[in-house]
Amino acid sequence: MEAWRLIATALLGVSGLVLVLVTMAKVRDRANAHGPVALSGAISFTLLALLCVLTLTVFAPVFVWGAVILVGTTAAVMLVAG
């Protein structure tokens, strides 16, 4: 396995986990119930895990780095926007 894939997956995982937590907090603010929060967390974490596995195995480098930039930028904007 190439080193760039490991680095990209680590960056994607860290920013993706931040994005999962921010998503769960936004749902909690809107729903005021535990069920939708857990469901949104499970769905977003599953999608993140799938994206990380595909990053490690089959995606092309251009797509991988594009996804890392997109997820990292989205997490940063959502954190700043509050």
Side-chain angles (χ1 to χ4, degrees):
M1 185 162 307
E2 296 95 356
W4 68 266
R5 287 191 183 270
L6 295 173
I7 293 168
T9 303
L11 291 172
L12 187 64
V14 169
S15 60
L17 284 177
V18 169
L19 198 55
V20 167
L21 293 174
V22 170
T23 302
M24 290 175 70
K26 296 276 185 186
V27 170
R28 185 194 63 214
D29 289 343
R30 288 180 176 39
N32 289 330
H34 297 294
V37 175
L39 185 63
S40 71
I43 290 171
S44 57
F45 184 77
T46 302
L47 290 175
L48 176 64
L50 180 66
L51 185 60
C52 285
V53 168
L54 291 174
T55 297
L56 280 173
T57 56
V58 295
F59 282 155
V62 173
F63 183 79
V64 167
W65 290 113
V68 168
I69 291 169
L70 180 69
V71 170
T73 304
T74 304
V77 167
M78 286 183 76
L79 282 175
V80 169

